Amino acid sequence: MAAIAAFKGVLAGALCGCCAAAHAAGALTLYALEWAPYSWKHPGSGKVGGIASDIVEELMRRAGVHAGPIDTVPWARGLALTAATPDTCQIMVGRTAEREQKFKWIGPIGHSRWMFFGLRDSNIRLRQLHDARPYLVGTIIDDLSIPILKSNHIRVALVAADHLNPPKLLRRRIDLWASAELPATYLMREQGLGEVAPLLTFATIPMFVACNNSMRDDEVARLNGIVNAMIADKSIERIYHAYGFRDAAPGAPVPERRRQSL
């Protein structure tokens, strides 16, 4: 497939290039959040690994797309750069109505459950989403949970990165922490947070690769076809299974929304 190529420059740390066609001469720029187990930068090598990065690297290989190394950036900055910069995608983005027109979507490459977490000794009991209205909820800037929470008249406190929320919860600067289940589980294990427990699943969101709107529709369709093939041949499921999260793969039954303990 032909593409119009242009030389890339560096602007605000973003690599810019030609229109985002698969066989473009320039490299596709890929951003990710520091969000284990989906994506994180290895301290030694500096390479980004994880479930989402492995899936996207295999997708790019099958598609014959030249992509630069995945780079981790703060969540809000990555979304802003992707929306503004041709030939740019951010991996593992929740596809919501609020974001639908801002990006072209490749996937799904997973689904993620958003949950409330709280201190075990707080005696907070949540049966429904609106039960959280009396409490201050911590989440990250531009997180997909924000419209859900605000539309239910729930107060939010925002930080730049999710790892900042558990210490705020421990110091009781927030009453609840809203986060995706798998990354929250990793953070809790990493920080030894046995006193923190999941209280309620309030949303299950399909996760995609979000690309700049300049990507051609025929290329979006081609990449989505490859993702569908990866789901059908169990390639994506095997990647999730390798990280111990087989049930979270697209194509696996979505677990019912229920109160859980980790």
Side-chain angles (χ1 to χ4, degrees):
M1 183 183 69
I4 299 173
F7 291 106
K8 291 188 173 183
V10 178
L11 176 61
L15 297 176
C16 301
C18 63
C19 71
H23 299 286
L28 190 67
T29 298
L30 298 174
Y31 291 122
L33 178 66
E34 192 77 25
W35 209 37
Y38 295 124
S39 53
W40 73 91
K41 185 172 289 186
H42 294 285
S45 66
K47 185 179 185 301
V48 176
I51 295 169
S53 63
D54 289 0
I55 292 170
V56 171
E57 285 178 355
E58 176 62 13
L59 169 61
M60 296 297 110
R61 186 191 68 78
R62 293 191 187 193
V65 172
H66 177 38
I70 298 171
D71 192 17
T72 55
V73 294
W75 181 243
R77 181 168 181 261
L79 287 179
L81 286 171
T82 300
T85 313
D87 264 355
T88 303
C89 301
Q90 179 143 336
I91 70 176
M92 211 60 183
V93 178
R95 186 172 184 175
T96 63
E98 294 79 11
R99 295 173 177 166
E100 183 65 31
Q101 302 305 317
K102 295 180 180 179
F103 305 102
K104 297 289 181 71
W105 299 93
I106 314 298
I109 60 172
H111 55 249
S112 191
R113 288 175 288 181
W114 257 254
M115 306 175 74
F116 288 126
F117 297 83
L119 296 176
R120 293 183 186 275
D121 65 1
S122 68
N123 295 317
I124 294 175
R125 297 291 180 263
L126 304 176
R127 293 177 179 270
Q128 302 176 71
L129 181 58
H130 65 246
D131 290 339
R133 286 176 183 169
Y135 306 111
L136 181 62
V137 178
T139 187
I140 61 175
I141 299 170
D142 277 351
D143 189 71
L144 61 80
S145 67
I146 296 171
I148 299 172
L149 300 174
K150 288 188 173 181
S151 67
N152 283 273
H153 308 289
I154 297 169
R155 295 174 299 136
V156 297
L158 304 179
V159 294
D162 211 23
H163 72 270
L164 301 174
N165 277 313
K168 289 182 68 176
L169 185 65
L170 292 175
R171 293 195 296 270
R172 301 180 190 271
R173 291 175 55 196
I174 55 176
D175 304 302
L176 295 168
W177 165 35
S179 185
E181 179 187 20
L182 270 60
T185 302
Y186 257 67
L187 276 177
M188 289 164 65
R189 291 174 181 170
E190 184 180 79
Q191 297 184 16
L193 300 178
E195 59 270 63
V196 178
L199 302 180
L200 180 76
T201 298
F202 63 87
T204 301
I205 306 294
M207 307 299 288
F208 284 69
V209 180
C211 295
N212 182 268
N213 268 326
S214 65
M215 180 173 281
R216 294 170 51 140
D217 289 341
D218 59 349
E219 182 62 4
V220 173
R222 189 177 80 90
L223 292 172
N224 273 313
I226 296 171
V227 170
N228 289 336
M230 292 172 64
I231 293 172
D233 68 16
K234 306 293 185 183
S235 297
I236 292 179
E237 184 176 312
R238 285 193 291 272
I239 291 171
Y240 273 86
H241 185 58
Y243 287 87
F245 296 103
R246 187 173 194 166
D247 290 344
V254 178
E256 64 181 279
R257 299 179 185 183
R258 63 187 186 276
R259 181 185 175 93
Q260 302 176 37
S261 59
L262 298 178

